[in-house]
């Protein structure tokens, strides 16, 4: 005799059956969805963009970034050690030549200037004292030399007298020898004195020259400090716009420290940067396209900086129109470095359909609203155009929207297509 199943077992069996049915329905739904995707052969016209192939120039370019910088920016530094007393102008002010920007407290440097003036006066006074002393020593040495000459003349006369008296018996040979020795000693002493006199003349001249040179050096240092004091009047020497100024009133500034920046906002240049992967391609003289908002400006690379920082190389671009109205200081712009170009090529507007491959498939749209897959060979490319080396003829319409989801289809129907 059959026994009735427990309600719990019946419930579990029923739940299991429901679960199996649900899983089967989900799998079937997914399968139908993908099957329909695979079989789908049409696309709405509103989903695609097309471009007509044409003949024209194509430039191959490297993408980089850039910043708009004033064509020149004068950096004004402190010529002396001082402190900021007053800030006379604020950033953004239009400046004329001769207009004061900052007022510096120059008291410490003025004290040093007066000290150097006193030291120079002392040095000049010591030169005069040395000159008088040298003249006196030289005069004394010349007088001693003259006295020695007179003494030698006297000894010569005594020697002649001794020799004459020796002949008549009035002197002995010892007296004559003594007179000869005295004359010889006097002549040697005179020779030594003349040598000392010659040395003293040269030595005194060298000492005077050395002291004079020291005074000249101190005089030049004083003139240099006087020039720096005059420069410490922070005044603009050309027209421009004050882009930055040290506004910390009372703060001390050392010699060479930046006080203000003055720029000419009438003309600009671009400081560009790109990955060092392109270091061997980015060179001075290459043409450049700078994209400013919706405007393309042309220019040339005038300088490639030799150092690489954090994997980035930097270069400077001189614009053909460096005073364009769209340019603003510190504006970030897109920069495209043109590495090669073709004057006449079959070109198509660039779009997501082109993925950087040399050989790839694209869809060509005919007048019946049918897009046919075709393999093309891609050449040069930039942000505007792609060069087509083979596979497309001028006048054909190319779908530049990414249709990689239909890449298994040879043809696609464009629904609601307007001829």
């Amino acid at each position: 005799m059959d026994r009735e199943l427990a309600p719990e077992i019946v419930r579990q069996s029923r739940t299991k059956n429901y679960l199996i049915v649900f899983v089967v329905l989900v799998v079937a739904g997914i399968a139908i969805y993908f099957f329909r995707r695979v079989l789908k052969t049409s696309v709405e016209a509103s989903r695609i963009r097309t471009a007509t192939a044409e003949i024209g120039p194509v430039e191959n370019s490297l993408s980089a970034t850039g910043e708009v910088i004033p064509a020149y920016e004068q950096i004004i530094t402190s010529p002396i050690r001082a402190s900021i007393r007053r800030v006379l102008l604020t950033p953004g002010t239009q400046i004329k030549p001769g207009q004061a920007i900052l007022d510096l407290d120059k008291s410490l440097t003025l004290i040093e200037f007066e000290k150097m003036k006193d030291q120079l006066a002392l040095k000049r006074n010591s030169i005069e004292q040395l000159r008088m002393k040298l003249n006196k020593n030289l005069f004394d040495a010349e007088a001693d030399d003259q006295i020695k000459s007179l003494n030698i003349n006297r000894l010569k006369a005594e020697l002649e007298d001794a020799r004459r008296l020796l002949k008549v018996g009035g002197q002995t040979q010892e007296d004559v020898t003594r007179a000869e020795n005295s004359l010889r000693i006097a002549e040697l002493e005179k020779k030594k004195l003349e040598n000392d006199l010659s040395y003293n003349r040269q030595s005194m001249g060298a000492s005077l020259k050395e002291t004079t040179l020291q005074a000249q050096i101190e005089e030049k240092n004083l003139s240099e400090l006087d020039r720096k004091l005059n420069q410490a009047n922070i005044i603009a020497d050309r027209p421009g716009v004050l882009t930055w100024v040290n506004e910390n009133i009372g703060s001390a500034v050392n010699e060479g420290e930046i006080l203000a920046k003055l720029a000419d906002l009438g003309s600009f240049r671009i400081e560009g940067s790109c990955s060092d992967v392109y270091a061997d391609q980015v060179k001075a003289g290459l043409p450049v396209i700078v994209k400013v908002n919706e405007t393309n400006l042309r220019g040339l690379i005038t300088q490639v900086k030799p150092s690489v920082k954090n994997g980035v190389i930097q270069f400077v671009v001189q614009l053909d129109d460096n005073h364009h109205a769209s340019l603003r200081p510190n504006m970030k712009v897109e920069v495209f470095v043109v590495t090669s170009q073709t004057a006449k090529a079959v070109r198509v507007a660039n779009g997501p359909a082109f993925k950087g491959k040399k050989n790839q498939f694209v869809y060509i749209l005919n007048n019946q609203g049918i897009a046919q897959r075709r393999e093309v060979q891609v050449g040069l490319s930039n942000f505007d155009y792609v060069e087509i080396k083979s596979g497309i003829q001028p006048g054909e319409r190319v779908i530049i929207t990414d249709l990689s989801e239909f890449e298994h289809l040879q043809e696609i129907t464009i629904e609601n297509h307007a001829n």
Side-chain angles (χ1 to χ4, degrees):
M1 175 173 150
D2 295 335
R3 293 185 347 187
E4 188 175 348
L5 295 174
E8 292 82 3
I9 295 176
V10 173
R11 256 194 320 271
Q12 289 178 359
S13 177
R14 191 176 297 161
T15 302
K16 183 178 180 181
N17 291 335
Y18 288 158
L19 183 61
I20 290 173
V21 171
F22 176 74
V23 171
V24 170
L25 290 175
V26 170
V27 171
I30 294 174
I32 291 171
Y33 172 77
F34 280 104
F35 185 69
R36 291 184 65 187
R37 287 291 300 265
V38 170
L39 294 180
K40 185 178 180 182
T41 61
S42 63
V43 180
E44 293 181 2
S46 59
R47 286 188 52 198
I48 65 170
R49 290 194 306 121
T50 63
T52 303
E54 60 182 10
I55 298 293
V58 179
E59 299 169 322
N60 193 52
S61 62
L62 303 176
S63 296
T65 58
E67 184 177 358
V68 179
I69 303 294
Y72 85 81
E73 188 173 47
Q74 181 185 9
I75 296 177
I76 302 174
T77 61
S78 176
I80 60 173
R81 189 165 53 91
S83 61
I84 299 175
R85 179 184 294 167
R86 285 186 303 162
V87 178
L88 304 176
L89 299 175
T90 56
T93 304
Q94 198 83 23
I95 296 180
K96 298 178 180 179
Q99 198 168 358
I101 301 171
L102 284 170
D103 181 21
L104 297 181
D105 183 0
K106 302 175 281 187
S107 55
L108 291 177
T109 306
L110 286 171
I111 292 173
E112 184 180 355
F113 180 76
E114 293 299 326
K115 181 180 177 182
M116 290 180 66
K117 282 179 65 177
D118 293 340
Q119 289 177 344
L120 180 60
L122 287 174
K123 183 64 70 175
R124 287 172 175 168
N125 185 60
S126 65
I127 290 174
E128 287 302 316
Q129 290 181 348
L130 179 61
R131 183 179 286 110
M132 289 188 294
K133 181 179 179 182
L134 294 178
N135 289 336
K136 178 182 179 301
N137 292 339
L138 187 61
F139 177 80
D140 291 345
E142 289 176 346
D144 290 341
D145 183 62
Q146 293 177 1
I147 292 171
K148 187 63 68 175
S149 296
L150 293 175
N151 190 34
I152 287 174
N153 291 334
R154 179 180 61 80
L155 291 174
K156 285 181 179 179
E158 290 179 355
L159 177 60
E160 290 298 324
D161 291 342
R163 286 174 178 170
R164 202 165 31 252
L165 291 174
L166 177 63
K167 290 180 181 180
V168 295
Q171 291 281 354
T172 64
Q173 185 61 41
E174 290 78 4
D175 295 330
V176 174
T177 301
R178 191 181 302 110
E180 289 176 348
N181 290 337
S182 297
L183 178 60
R184 192 172 298 111
I185 290 172
E187 289 176 343
L188 290 174
E189 288 177 347
K190 185 178 186 306
K191 190 173 183 180
K192 178 178 177 297
L193 187 62
E194 289 175 347
N195 184 66
D196 290 343
L197 181 60
S198 176
Y199 171 78
N200 286 336
R201 284 197 181 103
Q202 295 177 4
S203 176
M204 292 173 185
S207 298
L208 189 60
K209 184 177 181 181
E210 179 183 359
T211 309
T212 304
L213 286 174
Q214 290 176 354
Q216 289 176 354
I217 292 172
E218 291 190 11
E219 188 173 2
K220 289 179 181 178
N221 291 337
L222 186 64
S223 299
E224 177 68 14
L225 187 58
D226 185 46
R227 184 182 65 83
K228 289 181 178 181
L229 279 169
N230 291 330
Q231 289 180 340
N233 299 319
I234 309 303
I235 296 173
D237 59 356
R238 64 183 69 189
V241 174
L242 188 64
T243 57
W244 181 86
V245 65
N246 188 339
E247 298 178 306
N248 298 319
I249 296 175
S251 63
V253 290
N254 295 317
E255 183 178 346
E257 191 169 336
I258 298 176
L259 293 176
K261 293 181 180 180
L262 182 65
D264 176 15
L265 299 186
S267 57
F268 298 89
R269 58 186 171 88
I270 306 296
E271 287 194 355
S273 59
C274 66
S275 171
D276 60 353
V277 174
Y278 306 119
D280 58 337
Q281 300 182 56
V282 178
K283 300 176 182 178
L286 287 180
V288 169
I289 302 171
V290 178
K291 197 173 185 65
V292 183
N293 298 327
E294 298 302 321
T295 305
N296 294 337
L297 301 179
R298 292 274 177 169
L300 288 176
I301 295 178
T302 57
Q303 178 190 2
V304 179
K305 298 184 179 180
S307 61
V308 177
K309 296 181 180 178
N310 301 322
V312 173
I313 60 172
Q314 295 179 315
F315 53 90
V316 178
V317 176
Q318 179 67 44
L319 296 172
D320 297 340
D321 184 5
N322 60 5
H323 52 273
H324 194 276
S326 299
L327 297 172
R328 294 290 183 274
N330 303 321
M331 176 187 286
K332 304 297 181 182
V333 294
E334 293 181 87
V335 178
F336 300 91
V337 181
V338 179
T339 56
S340 57
Q341 54 187 344
T342 301
K344 291 183 178 180
V346 178
R347 68 182 187 181
V348 178
N350 204 345
F354 299 100
K355 299 177 173 60
K357 298 179 181 178
K358 293 297 181 183
N359 293 283
Q360 67 170 82
F361 290 98
V362 295
Y363 285 92
I364 310 301
L365 182 62
N366 60 26
N367 294 330
Q368 288 73 41
I370 303 298
Q372 297 179 330
R373 191 178 70 166
R374 190 182 301 175
E375 185 177 9
V376 297
Q377 184 180 5
V378 179
L380 303 180
S381 64
N382 56 38
F383 61 99
D384 283 329
Y385 295 102
V386 174
E387 177 191 11
I388 306 298
K389 288 190 172 182
S390 64
I392 298 176
Q393 297 299 320
E396 292 186 311
R397 298 176 66 189
V398 183
I399 297 177
I400 60 176
T401 304
D402 184 9
L403 297 179
S404 56
E405 59 183 296
F406 302 99
E407 60 185 3
H408 59 284
L409 298 176
Q410 188 65 33
E411 291 185 353
I412 302 175
T413 300
I414 307 301
E415 297 177 348
N416 300 322
H417 174 69
N419 289 336

